[in-house]
């Protein structure tokens, strides 16, 4: 399937640039009540710019592992897909509501223990630098690019 990509939208136990640390199990209840299809796939957290849908979202030992598919019938999603394939855009970022957190005064960190996850965005600059797209399916070339490539081979 063209437009499919995978990565980690959140990593457990790692402080983001805002000093938030997501704890293991923080998404358990949210994922139990809301499946991957109900969590929006957005561009830069903009609710007016959905770009596809999540195929799977799950917690593993490392963090929140995601697999999504860009809707390549949408122009913005095609642009993002091209940028992702080139490695120019590879950030992921979560949109959530905090249900339970604990502040640590000496470190200034906020430990996020329970979150209501409602969207995950592809972003240019993620708050958690390690939240990244790890693989992007290349898919089949378009008919026009295949014809162009054949013409170059034949007439060069």
């Amino acid at each position: 399937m063209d437009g499919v990509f995978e990565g980690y939208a959140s990593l457990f136990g790692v402080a983001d640039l805002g000093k938030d640390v997501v704890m293991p199990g923080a998404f358990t209840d949210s994922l139990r009540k809301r499946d991957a299809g109900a969590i929006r796939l957005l561009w830069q957290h903009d609710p007016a710019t959905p770009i596809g849908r999540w195929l799977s979202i799950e917690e593993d030992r490392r963090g929140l592992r995601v697999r999504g598919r860009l809707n390549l019938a949408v122009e913005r999603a095609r642009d993002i897909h091209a940028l992702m394939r080139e490695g120019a855009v590879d950030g992921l970022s979560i949109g959530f509501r905090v249900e339970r957190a604990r502040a640590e005064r000496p470190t200034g960190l906020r430990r996020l223990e329970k979150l209501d996850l409602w969207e995950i965005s592809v972003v240019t600059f993620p708050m958690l630098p390690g939240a990244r797209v790890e693989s992007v399916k290349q898919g089949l070339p378009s008919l026009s690019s295949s014809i162009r490539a054949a013409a170059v081979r034949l007439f060069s």
Side-chain angles (χ1 to χ4, degrees), residues 4-7 65 84 132-137:
V4 173
F5 65 97
E6 297 182 31
R65 180 90 179 145
M84 287 170 76
R132 300 287 176 175
V133 171
E134 295 178 343
S135 67
V136 181
K137 181 142 173 95

Side-chain angles (χ1 to χ4, degrees), residues 25-37:
F27 302 103
T28 302
D29 289 345
S30 186
L31 294 176
R32 194 174 291 132
K33 75 178 169 188
R34 187 179 298 120
D35 69 1

